[in-house]
Amino acid sequence: SNWPTLSDGEVLLVDVSRRDPGNGNMYAMYDPDSEIIIKRLIRDLSGGWLIRSDNQDKMRYPDMPISDQGMQQVEIIGRVVWRGGGI
């Protein structure tokens, strides 16, 4: 869901000491089903947040709006700080 930024099979380095949401940064977090997802957090002009996939197909990967209060319930594992993959 984050292509072209991330591709299947790439390795991610996640800084688990950076768990506070930051505008425009990519994070590893748990979804409501306790699955690990990698998404970008965007600060919304209304004061809430958008959980966003970098993939431009928003019909398939829509933004997920969430309030500040709702964001406090999201378990952030850490910030993605590096990616790498095979040639």
Side-chain angles (χ1 to χ4, degrees), residues 27-56:
Y27 292 89
M29 59 188 91
Y30 289 105
D31 72 4
D33 297 324
S34 297
E35 297 286 328
I36 296 174
I37 59 172
I38 308 298
K39 300 290 179 186
R40 192 171 300 280
L41 295 177
I42 305 294
R43 190 71 159 147
D44 191 8
L45 293 176
S46 67
W49 292 90
L50 295 174
I51 299 175
R52 175 174 287 169
S53 294
D54 282 0
N55 193 305
Q56 295 300 309

Side-chain angles (χ1 to χ4, degrees), residues 12-18 27-28 38 77-82:
L12 302 178
L13 178 62
V14 177
D15 183 346
V16 297
S17 72
R18 299 170 85 177
Y27 292 89
I38 308 298
I77 299 166
R79 182 174 166 198
V80 177
V81 295
W82 181 86

Side-chain angles (χ1 to χ4, degrees), residues 48-80:
W49 292 90
L50 295 174
I51 299 175
R52 175 174 287 169
S53 294
D54 282 0
N55 193 305
Q56 295 300 309
D57 183 354
K58 294 306 174 194
M59 294 295 288
R60 192 166 175 197
Y61 305 106
D63 291 347
M64 296 176 280
I66 189 167
S67 67
D68 270 338
Q69 185 178 21
M71 195 65 207
Q72 293 174 7
Q73 305 305 313
V74 173
E75 186 176 353
I76 296 175
I77 299 166
R79 182 174 166 198
V80 177

